Amino acid sequence: MDFKQIEAFVNVVRYKSFSKAADATFFTQPTISTHIRNLEKELGVKLLDRKSRTVEMTPQGSKFYKYAVEMINARALAFEAINDDSESLGGILEIQASSIPGVTFLPDLLAGFRSEHKGIQYYVSVSDTQSVIDNISDRRGEVGFIGEKVTSSSIECTKVAADKSVLIAPVSYDIPSEIRLTNVVSYPFIWRETGSATRRTFEQAALDSGFGKEDFEVAALVDDMDAILRSVEAGLGCAIISEKIASSLGGRVKVANIKDFNEDRSFYMIRLRSISLSPAAEAFASYVKSKLGE
């Protein structure tokens, strides 16, 4: 059994795709497929169901998966113990992030950490908060960054940053620099995906003020941050985004503080408690805490 075969299997499971697994490991898709076939032949069982749109594990694959992850991390830890040299850290660090951390503080952290550890490569998946939690729970990535505190006993959650949400609007809109929710609901909205912590927080604030979803004129539902920003610029409607992101837009949009929704948002780094992180992920988590943690 070759470790490259095991790594190929783990990555296909994490990303539910041969092509995405190939991207994550910087191999070709045929190479990933060959590794999986050889592993299945050696074990004498089918590990993956390739018939559905996304690749899923067979029952035998599910049993093997947790051991495969532990073997990969144990191997990396063994090499680290033998080398005893932080400069030798290498490999692919798989990170899950929701949209706001993914475009605000995470890029600087990645650049700073890699300046100290040149052998590190990153595979970063940016989605919504709930998807990040689900992916970390399913071991698709070792470290995640989200905008909502997790209460699950299986996940370690560390506060690493704070920000607040603001309203952005097309420059053609007659919107003041401060606005109340009563006035916000009169404008068309570009809504975030249902798994977004920003959306959930704003919806709760609206409910607390007596407004339901039906009170908002939804112009579009968009799950990509760049598409949201461009849609606001184009005049499609307003959106709720991070103040840090809004401050980087210059005069491309109008920015307004919402008086009824001005509390700080906290952002968290998450990891599974039940597994050992790879040396690269462990070092990165420590680096993040040293730079941002409270």
Side-chain angles (χ1 to χ4, degrees):
M1 189 181 298
D2 189 285
F3 268 100
K4 289 183 179 179
Q5 298 170 354
I6 299 172
E7 288 173 340
F9 167 67
V10 168
N11 280 299
V12 170
V13 171
R14 282 174 173 163
Y15 304 108
K16 296 187 176 183
S17 163
F18 280 81
S19 60
K20 290 181 180 179
D23 288 340
T25 52
F26 303 95
F27 286 123
T28 65
Q29 187 171 333
T31 299
I32 294 292
S33 298
T34 299
H35 284 325
I36 298 295
R37 281 198 304 270
N38 290 339
L39 180 61
E40 289 177 328
K41 183 177 180 180
E42 182 174 348
L43 294 173
V45 295
K46 282 290 183 184
L47 298 173
L48 298 171
D49 180 1
R50 301 162 174 80
K51 295 179 182 178
S52 57
R53 290 183 62 185
T54 58
V55 181
E56 300 289 350
M57 288 183 287
T58 64
Q60 293 87 353
S62 295
K63 292 178 183 178
F64 181 70
Y65 179 70
K66 65 178 182 178
Y67 297 107
V69 172
E70 291 298 329
M71 281 190 280
I72 290 171
N73 285 346
R75 176 176 180 261
L77 289 169
F79 275 115
E80 182 191 35
I82 293 170
N83 292 323
D84 193 27
D85 179 9
S86 61
E87 293 296 322
S88 68
L89 275 179
I92 299 168
L93 178 52
E94 300 162 39
I95 297 172
Q96 297 282 334
S98 61
S99 55
I100 293 176
V103 298
T104 53
F105 59 82
L106 182 57
D108 287 338
L109 289 172
L110 299 181
F113 185 68
R114 195 171 188 274
S115 70
E116 298 180 9
H117 304 286
K118 302 294 186 183
I120 297 292
Q121 295 173 303
Y122 301 111
Y123 187 88
V124 181
S125 176
V126 178
S127 54
D128 59 68
T129 289
Q130 189 57 54
S131 295
V132 172
I133 295 171
D134 292 342
N135 287 334
I136 291 296
S137 297
D138 291 339
R139 302 189 186 187
R140 297 186 179 93
E142 296 186 89
V143 180
F145 295 89
I146 56 175
E148 187 174 83
K149 189 171 185 178
V150 181
T151 57
S152 170
S153 60
S154 64
I155 293 178
E156 178 185 300
C157 191
T158 304
K159 182 179 176 181
V160 293
D163 192 12
K164 72 175 185 178
S165 298
V166 295
L167 178 78
I168 60 170
V171 292
S172 59
Y173 281 26
D174 184 20
I175 286 183
S177 58
E178 287 193 330
I179 190 170
R180 291 192 177 277
L181 272 170
T182 305
N183 303 114
V184 168
V185 296
S186 64
Y187 294 97
F189 251 77
I190 300 168
W191 221 237
R192 297 283 301 277
E193 65 276 20
T194 54
S196 163
T198 300
R199 173 174 169 175
R200 283 200 295 266
T201 305
F202 181 70
E203 282 182 347
Q204 187 57 54
L207 285 171
D208 292 344
S209 298
F211 298 102
K213 294 179 183 179
E214 67 280 358
D215 294 313
F216 290 86
E217 179 190 344
V218 180
L221 177 66
V222 181
D223 63 2
D224 177 79
M225 180 57 68
D226 188 54
I228 290 171
L229 300 180
R230 291 180 181 275
S231 297
V232 173
E233 284 186 74
L236 182 59
C238 301
I240 303 294
I241 69 166
S242 156
E243 185 178 43
K244 285 185 173 66
I245 297 177
S247 65
S248 69
L249 300 177
R252 293 159 53 190
V253 298
K254 284 188 174 179
V255 180
N257 291 313
I258 305 173
K259 292 183 179 180
D260 321 63
F261 185 57
N262 57 6
E263 69 275 8
D264 283 347
R265 284 277 310 283
S266 295
F267 295 92
Y268 301 87
M269 177 173 64
I270 63 172
R271 54 172 287 185
L272 278 181
R273 295 184 188 275
S274 60
I275 65 169
S276 299
L277 295 180
S278 66
E282 194 70 66
F284 180 68
S286 296
Y287 176 82
V288 172
K289 291 177 182 178
S290 71
K291 295 296 182 181
L292 301 178
E294 297 185 350

